Amino acid sequence: MIRIAILASGSGSNTENIVKYFAKSAEIEVSAIISNKADAYVLERAQYLHVPSYVFGKTEFLETNKVQLLLDELKIDWIILAGFLVLLPVSIVDKYEGRIVNIHPSLLPKYGGKGMYGDRVHKAVVEAHEKESGITIHKIDANYDRGTTVFQAKIKLKPTDTAEKVAQKVHALEYKFFPVVIENLILNRPFEKEVTVEPIDNEQSVRVERKDR
Ligand code: GRF
């Protein structure tokens, strides 16, 4: 069994989606959910999903080896960043080189970098009158939103789309593709690196409920 840890700072709807996707997998297991925020809703999700969860403050992440020790103890093979807002220490990035995967809610390199997260990204996209947006899944290096892009999914935007609407479209892409791309990457299966998705009217039907923490 390949063991993954998901790191998340907020709501954790992607985390929940990934946990559910791998629940019956014979090859990949979500073995831990780690957050830097004690009140993040992702920790409540961890409880009802029955995945062990752990909290480390930013200082513990950056100035101690506590997280590294936990990853060692749990024999974690891959790290998935799903809305995780702390830059990982170089020691972890080095040790897990090529095995840390992040998702960003825009078509990087556009709308990435420090401070570009959550709704700020979608507001910037709307303000720039972009005709499309999407998701980028990439392996990380020690900088925010850099590293090797492994997958992008694009979706067309309408001139009337608000930031909320863009967020909704992008989340639908995240739920559809992130678990599958993680699986293909880990199992070293070939997959398409770029797809364009036609907007559908029932994006609201995405099963994972959003919460603003
Ligand atoms: C997602 O939009 C992801 O792309 C970004 O942070 C958000 C996390 O959302 N990196 P959630 O916590 O999974 O609901």
Side-chain angles (χ1 to χ4, degrees), residues 8 10-15 45 82-84 102-105 118 122 170-171 174-175 210-211 213:
S11 162
S13 62
N14 279 282
T15 301
R45 295 191 199 263
F84 186 64
N102 183 42
I103 188 163
H104 187 79
H122 309 304
V170 168
H171 280 302
E174 294 182 331
Y175 302 146
R210 297 220 22 101
K211 298 262 180 183
R213 264 188 293 147

Side-chain angles (χ1 to χ4, degrees), residues 41-84:
Y41 188 70
V42 70
L43 296 168
E44 287 178 44
R45 295 191 199 263
Q47 274 207 333
Y48 65 69
L49 293 165
H50 306 294
V51 177
S53 63
Y54 307 85
V55 181
F56 296 96
K58 194 172 172 180
T59 314
E60 285 179 299
F61 261 100
L62 297 179
E63 290 168 24
T64 72
N65 65 349
K66 288 184 184 175
V67 180
Q68 182 64 71
L69 290 175
L70 177 73
L71 297 171
D72 289 346
E73 186 188 317
L74 298 176
K75 299 190 170 31
I76 297 300
D77 300 298
W78 284 70
I79 297 173
I80 307 301
L81 307 178
F84 186 64

Side-chain angles (χ1 to χ4, degrees), residues 58-207:
K58 194 172 172 180
T59 314
E60 285 179 299
F61 261 100
L62 297 179
E63 290 168 24
T64 72
N65 65 349
K66 288 184 184 175
V67 180
Q68 182 64 71
L69 290 175
L70 177 73
L71 297 171
D72 289 346
E73 186 188 317
L74 298 176
K75 299 190 170 31
I76 297 300
D77 300 298
W78 284 70
I79 297 173
I80 307 301
L81 307 178
F84 186 64
L85 298 178
V86 177
L87 193 62
L88 286 179
V90 178
S91 54
I92 293 182
V93 176
D94 282 351
K95 180 153 185 192
Y96 281 86
E97 200 194 334
R99 292 179 293 139
I100 307 179
V101 183
N102 183 42
I103 188 163
H104 187 79
S106 76
L107 297 170
L108 291 176
K110 284 184 157 184
Y111 309 104
K114 200 167 190 319
M116 268 298 183
Y117 60 88
D119 293 338
R120 295 186 191 189
V121 175
H122 309 304
K123 281 190 186 126
V125 165
V126 168
E127 276 163 22
H129 306 289
E130 293 285 357
K131 293 190 172 56
E132 61 178 16
S133 190
I135 59 169
T136 302
I137 297 173
H138 59 115
K139 291 187 174 176
I140 69 148
D141 62 19
N143 295 298
Y144 284 94
D145 302 330
R146 301 235 202 107
T148 320
T149 293
V150 291
F151 177 84
Q152 285 193 316
K154 299 179 181 176
I155 193 154
K156 290 193 188 92
L157 302 180
K158 291 185 191 151
T160 51
D161 281 350
T162 58
E164 290 73 32
K165 183 69 189 170
V166 176
Q168 193 184 26
K169 286 181 171 180
V170 168
H171 280 302
L173 293 181
E174 294 182 331
Y175 302 146
K176 184 173 165 69
F177 292 108
F178 198 19
V180 188
V181 170
I182 292 169
E183 183 176 40
N184 287 333
L185 268 179
I186 292 179
L187 300 179
N188 208 13
R189 291 182 183 149
F191 61 97
E192 256 186 287
K193 302 285 180 279
E194 207 181 295
V195 298
T196 301
V197 174
E198 291 302 320
I200 42 171
D201 288 334
N202 64 344
E203 282 137 13
Q204 297 89 332
S205 71
V206 169
R207 279 160 293 128

Side-chain angles (χ1 to χ4, degrees), residues 17-49:
N17 190 42
I18 296 165
V19 170
K20 287 181 171 163
Y21 182 85
F22 288 116
K24 295 204 177 103
S25 169
E27 289 147 315
I28 297 169
E29 172 190 282
V30 178
S31 306
I33 293 172
I34 302 176
S35 186
N36 62 309
K37 291 244 185 269
D39 62 349
Y41 188 70
V42 70
L43 296 168
E44 287 178 44
R45 295 191 199 263
Q47 274 207 333
Y48 65 69
L49 293 165

